[in-house]
Amino acid sequence: MTETSTSQAKTSAISSNNNKVSDEKVVNGVNVEKLYEIIGAVSHHAQIAKFNFRAKNKWMDGPHNTTTINDFDGAGQTHNRSQPFSLETDEHPVLLGMEKGPNPAEYTLTALAGCLTSTLIYHASARGIVIDEIETSLSGDVDLRGFLGMDDSVRNGYQQIQVEFKIKADAPEEKLQELVELAQQRSPVFDIISHPTPVCIKLVK
């Protein structure tokens, strides 16, 4: 990385003038040097920051669906995984399913937990804060009257989601609280869930 790129990288949103990056190249499993190289590259070529993720779903039976995730676009090219991921969604028998996988709402909690945690780890690594352990508990409240069309005043989805972080690290509590707040500010999935996202749905032949 050039000296100019390094300077721009350290003034980006993921850094802080009051925090020094660890001398280690890898912190919390994140290659910090490469992370700043990415920041520097994006600062020069914003187009490579554009990503498009995709998923293909197939209905199986009842509430059972199978979603396949493979290719995506990013950094100016299309990427294919060495092996596609197959995700099963279903419902518990109390909701007329066969329990062949978590339900979609539970996947939403999974996505939120994974994204918040990853975001926190990236920002902690950029600041040289070593994290020993993170455990996150999530819960969400749903009222079926919305989904069943029984009461239009009841929301179809989660009415509220509770997230609790338990973090073990050699850092003062105020630093950990700062990381939790950064996770909320920068997590893509938190943004998707907490703000309206335009969704275009159409029938195709």
Side-chain angles (χ1 to χ4, degrees), residues 98-116:
M98 297 296 292
E99 206 165 17
K100 294 182 179 179
N103 70 33
E106 290 165 328
Y107 269 110
T108 300
L109 296 181
T110 302
L112 179 59
C115 195
L116 282 170

Side-chain angles (χ1 to χ4, degrees), residues 131-205:
I131 304 294
D132 297 318
E133 185 177 318
I134 298 178
E135 291 184 3
T136 314
S137 299
L138 300 91
S139 67
D141 300 318
V142 174
D143 188 329
L144 289 184
R145 289 177 299 168
F147 166 72
L148 295 173
M150 298 172 63
D151 188 339
D152 289 339
S153 68
V154 176
R155 183 173 179 174
N156 299 327
Y158 281 126
Q159 298 172 330
Q160 179 177 250
I161 295 176
Q162 297 282 349
V163 182
E164 294 182 351
F165 275 103
K166 183 182 292 185
I167 305 173
K168 181 180 179 182
D170 186 18
E173 186 173 347
E174 57 267 25
K175 287 293 182 183
L176 299 182
Q177 182 60 44
E178 181 182 328
L179 288 173
V180 170
E181 292 171 1
L182 278 169
Q184 296 178 63
Q185 293 170 14
R186 298 302 172 194
S187 163
V189 175
F190 181 87
D191 178 70
I192 291 167
I193 291 175
S194 60
H195 298 90
T197 299
V199 179
C200 176
I201 300 177
K202 59 184 179 181
L203 177 66
V204 297
K205 293 184 178 180

Side-chain angles (χ1 to χ4, degrees), residues 20-184:
K20 182 179 179 181
V21 177
S22 171
D23 292 331
E24 295 180 27
K25 291 185 178 180
V26 177
V27 181
N28 303 318
V30 176
N31 189 317
V32 177
E33 186 175 314
K34 287 188 177 295
L35 176 60
Y36 277 100
E37 286 178 359
I38 291 171
I39 297 169
V42 170
S43 69
H44 284 93
H45 306 285
Q47 190 61 31
I48 67 174
K50 307 291 185 181
F51 278 70
N52 177 265
F53 296 106
R54 298 183 277 274
K56 291 186 177 181
N57 180 268
K58 185 174 182 179
W59 171 64
M60 306 304 287
D61 185 48
H64 181 207
N65 292 259
T66 299
T67 298
T68 301
I69 297 174
N70 186 12
D71 61 313
F72 65 93
D73 295 334
Q77 58 184 306
T78 298
H79 305 267
N80 285 282
R81 291 179 166 87
S82 57
Q83 183 174 345
F85 293 108
S86 181
L87 307 177
E88 306 289 324
T89 60
D90 200 355
E91 294 288 351
H92 187 276
V94 75
L95 292 171
L96 311 182
M98 297 296 292
E99 206 165 17
K100 294 182 179 179
N103 70 33
E106 290 165 328
Y107 269 110
T108 300
L109 296 181
T110 302
L112 179 59
C115 195
L116 282 170
T117 301
S118 297
T119 303
L120 189 153
I121 285 294
Y122 277 114
H123 283 273
S125 301
R127 286 161 171 72
I129 300 174
V130 177
I131 304 294
D132 297 318
E133 185 177 318
I134 298 178
E135 291 184 3
T136 314
S137 299
L138 300 91
S139 67
D141 300 318
V142 174
D143 188 329
L144 289 184
R145 289 177 299 168
F147 166 72
L148 295 173
M150 298 172 63
D151 188 339
D152 289 339
S153 68
V154 176
R155 183 173 179 174
N156 299 327
Y158 281 126
Q159 298 172 330
Q160 179 177 250
I161 295 176
Q162 297 282 349
V163 182
E164 294 182 351
F165 275 103
K166 183 182 292 185
I167 305 173
K168 181 180 179 182
D170 186 18
E173 186 173 347
E174 57 267 25
K175 287 293 182 183
L176 299 182
Q177 182 60 44
E178 181 182 328
L179 288 173
V180 170
E181 292 171 1
L182 278 169
Q184 296 178 63

